[in-house]
Amino acid sequence: MKALRWYGKGDIRCETVLDPQIEEPRDAIIKVTSCAICGSDLHLYDHFMPGMQKGDIMGHETMGEVVEIGSSIKNLKVGDRVVIPFTIICGECEQCRRGNFSVCERTNRNANLAAKVFGHTTAGLFGYTHLTGGYPGGQAEYLRVPYADTTHIKVPDGLRDEQLLFLSDIFPTGWQAAVQCDIEPTDTVAIWGAGPVGQMAIRSALLLGAKQVIVIDCVPERLSMAQAGGAIPIDFQEESVIERLNELTRGRGPEKCIDAVGLEAHVSMKHPDTVLDRAKQAVMLETDRPHVLREMMYVCRPAGVLSVPGVYGGLLDKIPFGAVMNKGLTIRTGQTHVNRWTDDLLRRIQEGQIDPSFVITHTVALEEGPQMYETFRDKKDGCIKVVLKPH
Amino acid sequence: MARHRQMQSYKTRSQGSAETLARGLGWFSLVLGAAELFGAKSMASWLGVERQEGLIRAYGAREVATGIGILSQRDPTAWVWGRVAGDALDLATLGNALRDRHAHHDRVALAFGAVAGVTVLDVVCANALTGQNAQPARRFDYSDRSGLPRPPNQMRGAARDFEVPRDMRIPDALRPYRQPQRIGRPQPSM
Ligand SMILES: NC(=O)c1ccc[n+]([C@@H]2O[C@H](COP(=O)([O-])OP(=O)(O)OC[C@H]3O[C@@H](n4cnc5c(N)ncnc54)[C@H](O)[C@@H]3O)[C@@H](O)[C@H]2O)c1
Ligand SMILES: [Zn+2]
Ligand SMILES: [Zn+2]
């Protein structure tokens, strides 16, 4: 089959590899009908996440049709239409039973490695680093799904792939980002990053009833899409983020702040700390560029919440924890517990409360994936979200 | 409903001469920066501005950071502009030294000339990179892509039926109280 494989910084290739096989009784193989490129893939593409190996198959936003099942699978049959969450879950460990699926204790086959780096293991993830199990991803014609009896979301016919695909990641991610803000009707929610995750967070915060949703980015078309979803845009290249946020909240600061940017904050002379971070990254004194975290900690209203879906990888410098402590801020973060939200979100899609396909700007064949990584990363051609069609 | 744009013909930007010049300037920054960092003392005495040793060292650190920035960035434009700003600072400092009675004026003038020369290169390079990046001003208008069935204002709170799970609620102590808190007697949790 054909698959997109990682070979190093900026080097993704579409190559022919062996078809996946059933390896365990709880496995299933799905024929991929649609998959997408995520901002998290860009951290791998730019090689800021450790633990990738040459030839790894990318992709963790995948859906398709079951074509083969392992001997112990009872709740799936050949022909079923499924969306695959990016987190692989056993459904039985204590964390899974609590709904903390992204820290499932059993599915990471490199649990020891993860424990060395993070103190404890986290769940296995598709198409991500070997720290999370090194499972081949779904930017391919076929995908092996381990623990498939729990690691799936059954979806009905009658809705298009494009409306359902994002249940795999970005819709639940934006949703959880807003949910963990515990939004009150009086709240201002400020969201950094108008990428796909930010777009989903904007709609979620609005639906959950925020009084005011503000979005911060510098890409005009992303800001225009954010505005379409009801957000007030701030272009950080044109205006001072802190000043504007204080203006819009009459000096009090937003009660809830969401970081939908992560470790690759834009490097710009307007934010000198990012220039320093970039230099430190180059000489391996720091792994991430936490400009957005610094800004949120500073501007958030005392007793507010910082919600961090944006991905960070390692060690961060000059974090104003004094502000967090003295203002009594709450920080909530984590990879998304996808399956915790998907039943509810599928219902909302079916009822027409939201149609997540609005975010798609490019639909191409799998072979064109490598160029699309570059287009998406560099925000060329108005690109916000890419869907790949392997068949 | 989202309209799907099909992929358009695609070309990577050619590695132009501006990039090559930028790389050269990046290495120049690194070497000069290292010289300033480690040879600040002799440089200061050569120019006759012994009291400025610390400043020279700080400028060296700046040069090294800029050099790393230029060499490590996919798009070095901002960093080359950073060099231009640094040049301005250098020129201003050297200009001041010209007014310093103790400085060796001939040597300071020599250094001034050298920096001015490099400044020209920096400006040329930064300009070329900036022009090159300026993409054909095609605007993408996504103002019709709300993803919502009705205007955002009418959708506000449509999902208030959702109950935030216990582990994701904000601590009660941080929740705005409906009634003012009585000091010394916490309100029962809501
Ligand atoms: N927690 C999870 O489970 C989860 C799931 C999916 C994605 N993510 C992460 O969420 C983040 C966003 O993903 P995405 O797909 O939207 O990626 P993206 O790269 O398309 O979006 C990031 C956006 O941030 C903007 N940005 C950069 N610097 C900024 C700054 N200083 N201030 C404001 N905006 C800035 C960029 O212009 C861009 O539009 C990534 O870190 C990704 O890894 C996390
Ligand atoms: Zn993702
Ligand atoms: Zn588990």
Side-chain angles (χ1 to χ4, degrees), chain A residues 160 182 184 203 206-207 209-211 224 228 275 278 305 332 340 352 355 357-358 360 363 372 380-382, chain B residues 1-2 4-5 7-8 10 72-73 79 142 145-147 149 156-160 167-170 175:
Chain A
R160 292 173 301 118
D182 193 3
E184 302 265 341
R203 274 72 178 174
L206 181 88
L207 292 173
K211 184 182 85 181
S224 84
V275 176
R278 187 65 191 86
V305 177
R332 289 225 171 84
R340 195 163 174 181
D355 177 355
S357 68
F358 74 88
I360 303 170
T363 305
M372 275 297 131
K380 287 186 207 160
D381 192 30
Chain B
M1 193 93 352
H4 296 195
R5 181 172 298 107
M7 159 123 156
Q8 299 171 340
Y10 182 85
S72 65
Q73 258 326 61
W79 293 89
Y142 298 137
R145 290 175 172 238
S146 80
R156 190 181 309 280
R160 280 219 186 101
D167 61 322
M168 292 191 176
R169 280 185 230 149
I170 47 173
R175 196 179 289 279

Side-chain angles (χ1 to χ4, degrees), chain B residues 6-23:
Chain B
Q6 293 300 313
M7 159 123 156
Q8 299 171 340
S9 78
Y10 182 85
K11 253 193 292 114
T12 38
R13 201 175 72 197
S14 63
Q15 284 295 92
S17 54
E19 269 97 349
T20 316
L21 179 56
R23 293 196 74 77

Side-chain angles (χ1 to χ4, degrees), chain A residues 85 96 119-120 197 203 304 341 387:
Chain A
C96 279
H120 298 89
V197 170
R203 274 72 178 174
W341 319 112
V387 171

Side-chain angles (χ1 to χ4, degrees), chain A residues 89-97 101 103-107:
Chain A
I89 58 176
C90 78
E92 292 160 349
C93 71
E94 189 177 330
Q95 295 288 12
C96 279
R97 278 186 279 129
F101 297 117
V103 289
C104 169
E105 293 165 332
R106 293 220 194 129
T107 51

Side-chain angles (χ1 to χ4, degrees), chain B residues 9-118:
Chain B
S9 78
Y10 182 85
K11 253 193 292 114
T12 38
R13 201 175 72 197
S14 63
Q15 284 295 92
S17 54
E19 269 97 349
T20 316
L21 179 56
R23 293 196 74 77
L25 291 168
W27 283 109
F28 177 75
S29 270
L30 273 186
V31 172
L32 177 64
E36 283 175 320
L37 265 177
F38 300 113
K41 198 177 178 121
S42 37
M43 209 176 272
S45 72
W46 186 75
L47 290 167
V49 290
E50 279 81 358
R51 275 171 313 161
Q52 307 283 35
E53 194 186 317
L55 190 66
I56 294 181
R57 201 163 282 135
Y59 283 8
R62 186 202 73 213
E63 288 285 359
V64 169
T66 320
I68 292 171
I70 293 177
L71 294 173
S72 65
Q73 258 326 61
R74 205 183 305 130
D75 176 5
T77 313
W79 293 89
V80 177
W81 279 116
R83 271 197 55 84
V84 175
D87 292 336
L89 207 61
D90 288 347
L91 289 173
T93 312
L94 288 165
N96 260 340
L98 278 175
R99 269 180 269 135
D100 181 341
R101 285 184 296 121
H102 305 292
H104 304 304
H105 286 182
D106 45 346
R107 294 177 184 173
V108 173
L110 194 69
F112 194 95
V115 175
V118 179

